[in-house]
Amino acid sequence: MTGPAEIDLRHHGDTEVGDGLADFAVNVRTGTPPAWLAERIRASVDGLAAYPDPRPARKAVAARHGRSAEEVLLTAGAAEAFVLLARVLTPRRAVVVHPQFTEPEAALRAAGHEVERVILDKDFTLGPRAVPAGADLVVIGNPTNPTSVLHPAGALAALAAPGRTVVVDEAFMDCVPGEPESLATRLPPGVVVIRSLTKTWGLAGLRAGYVLADPHLIGRLAEAQPLWAVSTPALAAVEACSTPEAVAEGEAWAVELAAERDRLAAELSARGLYVVPGARASFLCVSLPDALGIRALLRQRGYAVRRGDTFPGLGPDWLRIAVRDRPSNDRLLDVLGELGI
């Protein structure tokens, strides 16, 4: 258990890219949004004169996860969901399990809450006694950014306890074929699930996500949310991406991703790099000596990767590398070879 440290919690992968760099820093699927989705979003512009109506998209999300519409709140990306939870909840002892996406902790601190950090050990798996019994708010990612570790659903459900809220960030769950460890369709009492459409569908600039929770908490979050917070184009995207056809398309991509991710992990491991085992998301968490120096050399050669030292629990010997298509990954491997890796 650790307290706050001088870490830039607001540093994210988008600040690593630009200047024509090949992007291995941002975890958004390349070649997206697909043409059919882009057309749906463009068509929604015809309705911009009217205020957004979230009801069709809300029903679509509820149907996608087998929930009621009262258990769904649409948000301007997962980031807004973290801000709303920080505004509404009043934890006495908030715990964030790290390494993970830093926005939940940043939102809690911005709302005036003190935050304790649980730092997972090497391989970053969740032990049965990792979270202190007195915590009444626990935030954890699954699969976790940046480690790519997928925690068992049973282990996360076991964190739920009377008087405790467990927030599970499932922004990358649709990278996992079949989503066997998702709590979205189970939603145990006291568990909140946050999802995002950003990664699989290439909608980072649109801001589209949602919260799944019990109706009472959803109501409180809705009261704290500004009116019409989710735009009409974003609502069109949420509805379109929640159809059975879209879910099937995402599943097919997840299967392809898994094979290429495992190949890239094996290639990096064969070169002596430590790759966090069991990766299940669209990125790999990699350790090597002088990772920040290697990152700088890669930038000189036109490649952006995500530094790891801005994630609590990692440090200057860590990088996060997004998994791209095979030709792109092979070009990165070639450049690493030129650097003696």
Side-chain angles (χ1 to χ4, degrees), residues 78-321:
E80 189 199 16
F82 296 127
V83 170
L84 293 175
L85 286 165
R87 289 176 179 172
V88 165
L89 299 178
T90 55
R92 298 181 305 278
R93 189 177 183 185
V95 167
V96 178
V97 180
H98 285 289
Q100 78 149 302
F101 184 49
T102 53
E103 277 304 304
E105 179 174 330
L108 287 166
R109 293 191 183 281
H113 304 297
E114 294 186 3
V115 179
E116 295 180 43
R117 293 173 181 165
V118 167
I119 306 295
L120 298 181
D121 294 333
K122 189 177 181 181
D123 293 350
F124 310 113
T125 56
L126 181 68
R129 288 176 291 277
V131 175
D136 59 349
L137 173 63
V138 179
V139 185
I140 188 167
N142 202 39
T144 306
N145 174 17
T147 64
S148 209
V149 169
L150 182 67
H151 303 292
L156 298 187
L159 294 176
R164 171 187 285 177
T165 300
V166 179
V167 178
V168 183
D169 175 8
E170 292 192 359
F172 291 96
M173 187 60 77
D174 51 4
C175 295
V176 183
E179 302 187 6
E181 309 304 333
S182 175
L183 292 178
T185 58
R186 314 175 202 190
L187 209 60
V191 172
V192 177
V193 171
I194 295 176
R195 301 286 292 242
S196 169
L197 301 180
T198 294
K199 320 306 181 206
T200 294
W201 299 110
L203 299 177
L206 196 61
R207 313 308 305 141
Y210 51 90
V211 182
L212 303 173
D214 72 80
H216 176 69
L217 179 56
I218 291 295
R220 293 174 63 198
L221 295 172
E223 289 178 359
Q225 186 181 40
L227 285 173
W228 312 296
V230 183
S231 69
T232 294
L235 292 173
V238 171
E239 184 177 2
C241 294
S242 299
T243 64
E245 295 79 8
V247 172
E249 180 178 323
E251 174 82 2
W253 168 73
V255 171
E256 295 177 1
L257 165 70
E260 181 57 22
R261 180 192 59 232
D262 293 349
R263 185 191 75 89
L264 180 59
E267 290 279 357
L268 294 172
S269 296
R271 298 169 183 233
L273 283 68
Y274 177 77
V275 181
V276 175
R280 300 296 298 274
S282 55
F283 47 86
L284 299 171
C285 194
V286 177
S287 179
L288 71 164
D290 190 27
L292 289 179
I294 297 300
R295 167 183 167 272
L297 291 173
L298 285 171
R299 293 182 71 83
Q300 292 176 11
R301 287 161 173 78
Y303 288 80
V305 295
R306 171 67 157 90
R307 64 192 301 168
D309 61 329
T310 62
F311 292 102
L314 298 184
D317 291 339
W318 289 91
L319 298 172
R320 189 191 69 194
I321 301 176

